[in-house]
Amino acid sequence: MQEIEAQQKLKPFLDSNPKSGVKKLTLSGEDVLAVVNPWGDPALIISLEDDDDAIIPALNSLVFPERLSAIFHVGSKQLEVLWTAFALSQNNSQVFGRSFEFYYNNKTYNCGFRKASDELLTISGAMKPIGASENGYRNTLSFINYRMSLELDEELDKRFGTPSCFYIDGIDYSEDTIVEFLNCLNFYMSYYDALTPRVIIHPPQLPKALSEVGIRYRYDKFPALISARPLDPELLQFWGATDNAEPARKFLYAYRIIEHSAFFFVESAPKIAVRKALMMPHALDDISGTADRVLAAVRSSTINEYQRFESVMAKAVDPQILWKFIEVNVEMFSKTETFDGGFEIGALIAGTQSKDDFMNNGVRNICNSARKIRNALAHGREDKNATVILPTRSNYEKLRPWSNLIVRAAGEIILYEHA
């Protein structure tokens, strides 16, 4: 079958999965016709070389949700979340066969753990990993190996059991709506069973923007020598969590780094008074008096929580470092942005010509905008008039430059903590 013919036969699939395509690839020296980027994921392909009569109808009936390790059956409106083809553990064997009704937004959905569909097993026989994966190959490997075992062995490998998936019946397909639904469903399933398998929700696959590539290096190149010192392990946990998080959680993790440091920030005068009290030659001889003097010095601090946040940012973060990032994202930062959920953030700068003003006031303006974004992400709708940032793909795109900007500031804060 030729590439053009395959594209014609797979038109329903390609229309429903616009990030996928059909291409000729060379694998291990052989040309292979395959569906590339299922789930919009370059780590997997689906070969079209064998049993096309089964694979093509199966693919044409499916949507591959980009943020899930799942397939959506268009005709039955059934979401099938990939679980495992391996033999189940004792804990998971209690889950297989479980079914329940989930009443959500005035509609009842039938949910349950049961045997994998014929469509999934068909495409698993043609699926191949071809590159590094950041999401465990969408949970497909056990199904791929199961199909290989069926074809190679007369007796099924004892590693395998009944290929099993989690189903949600009768759900309308919309990525953002399904993700919101699954977050809620995950809570209730884990609330009633602490060991239940959860539906994994992957971060949206946002391609690297040219602006991000252009500012890869903090100081133009990677240093040949790094003179390191121990860093706060709690802050490093948050820093590590920013790596694979979607933009909303990345922003909140980075904000938490700055917030943690700000909590312990004391302005110069009280800090000097504390140091003086502790350095008095008789400090240990008069513990009670020393404690009173330290407490009095700390209480003399007149700045509130937000002022501490702003002060630690001003002391730790060089605005020139932030400007380098803002300058290559000038279009995003020089306009007012309205998010799904009603939240609106004003322009941070007036354009590249506003560099001098940013050097003087930019860090303060970032603090003000960051606090508003953080509240819109974390506080939700405490009252009916509140505006929020909903977890939609559109919002992630709009939030991405802000998240990366706050991560840059957080990196400076971590180093400042131990300077």
Side-chain angles (χ1 to χ4, degrees), residues 83 92 95 98 113 166 186 189-190 193-199:
W83 188 16
N92 282 338
V95 174
R98 174 186 293 168
F113 295 84
F166 175 68
N186 274 339
M189 288 201 300
S190 59
D193 177 0
L195 298 181
T196 189
R198 294 167 174 79
V199 179

Side-chain angles (χ1 to χ4, degrees), residues 341-358:
F343 174 74
E344 183 176 283
I345 193 72
L348 179 64
I349 59 172
T352 52
Q353 72 278 7
S354 62
K355 179 178 179 179
D356 291 341
D357 181 58
F358 181 83

Side-chain angles (χ1 to χ4, degrees), residues 21-38:
V22 176
K23 288 185 179 179
K24 278 277 189 185
L25 303 173
T26 301
L27 300 177
S28 301
E30 295 185 4
D31 290 337
V32 176
L33 181 65
V35 171
V36 296
N37 299 330

Side-chain angles (χ1 to χ4, degrees), residues 391-408:
T392 64
R393 176 178 294 275
S394 172
N395 279 350
Y396 289 150
E397 289 277 9
K398 295 173 183 177
L399 191 59
R400 180 165 56 165
W402 285 99
S403 298
N404 291 334
L405 179 65
I406 298 304
V407 168
R408 295 214 159 216

Side-chain angles (χ1 to χ4, degrees), residues 46 54-62 64 71-76 78 80 115-127 147 167:
I46 301 171
I55 293 171
I56 288 176
L59 287 172
N60 282 336
S61 69
L62 300 173
F64 288 61
I71 55 177
F72 179 77
H73 299 262
V74 177
S76 60
Q78 185 179 66
E80 181 179 4
K115 185 177 182 297
S117 68
D118 292 340
E119 290 84 355
L120 175 58
L121 296 178
T122 295
I123 62 175
S124 296
M127 195 169 289
R147 282 298 311 269
Y167 291 84

Side-chain angles (χ1 to χ4, degrees), residues 60 68 121 137-138 160 175 179 183 187 212 221 245 265 286 376 381:
N60 282 336
L68 303 173
L121 296 178
Y137 296 99
R138 305 278 172 166
F160 299 103
E175 183 182 276
V179 167
N183 277 322
F187 168 78
E212 291 179 272
K221 65 177 183 178
F265 178 83
D286 182 17
R381 285 195 169 99

Side-chain angles (χ1 to χ4, degrees), residues 125-289:
M127 195 169 289
K128 304 179 190 300
I130 62 166
S133 174
E134 296 180 354
N135 50 50
Y137 296 99
R138 305 278 172 166
N139 240 15
T140 59
L141 294 185
S142 69
F143 295 94
I144 294 171
N145 289 329
Y146 172 83
R147 282 298 311 269
M148 290 176 60
S149 182
L150 281 182
E151 293 167 8
L152 295 175
D153 300 331
E154 293 182 4
E155 182 178 347
L156 186 64
D157 192 312
K158 289 183 171 55
R159 292 176 300 158
F160 299 103
T162 300
S164 307
C165 291
F166 175 68
Y167 291 84
I168 303 167
D169 299 335
I171 190 167
D172 293 322
Y173 185 78
S174 162
E175 183 182 276
D176 290 337
T177 302
I178 285 179
V179 167
E180 185 177 351
F181 174 95
L182 291 174
N183 277 322
C184 186
L185 179 65
N186 274 339
F187 168 78
Y188 281 100
M189 288 201 300
S190 59
Y191 178 84
Y192 289 107
D193 177 0
L195 298 181
T196 189
R198 294 167 174 79
V199 179
I200 298 172
I201 300 172
H202 305 296
Q205 298 176 63
L206 303 177
K208 290 289 185 185
L210 291 176
S211 58
E212 291 179 272
V213 176
I215 46 142
R216 173 176 178 173
Y217 297 106
R218 190 67 59 107
Y219 296 105
D220 299 326
K221 65 177 183 178
F222 193 85
L225 172 64
I226 300 173
S227 181
R229 55 185 179 272
L231 301 173
D232 186 322
E234 183 177 351
L235 298 188
L236 292 180
Q237 289 286 337
F238 285 115
W239 178 262
T242 67
D243 280 348
N244 296 316
E246 36 76 16
R249 286 189 297 131
K250 177 182 284 193
F251 184 96
L252 291 173
Y253 289 141
Y255 191 97
R256 182 69 185 90
I257 290 171
I258 304 170
E259 198 172 44
H260 178 280
S261 300
F263 180 81
F264 296 101
F265 178 83
V266 180
E267 67 269 39
S268 297
K271 186 179 292 185
I272 292 171
V274 169
R275 185 177 293 128
K276 181 178 179 181
L278 294 175
M279 292 179 67
M280 292 298 288
H282 65 284
L284 295 179
D285 188 60
D286 182 17
I287 294 295
S288 178

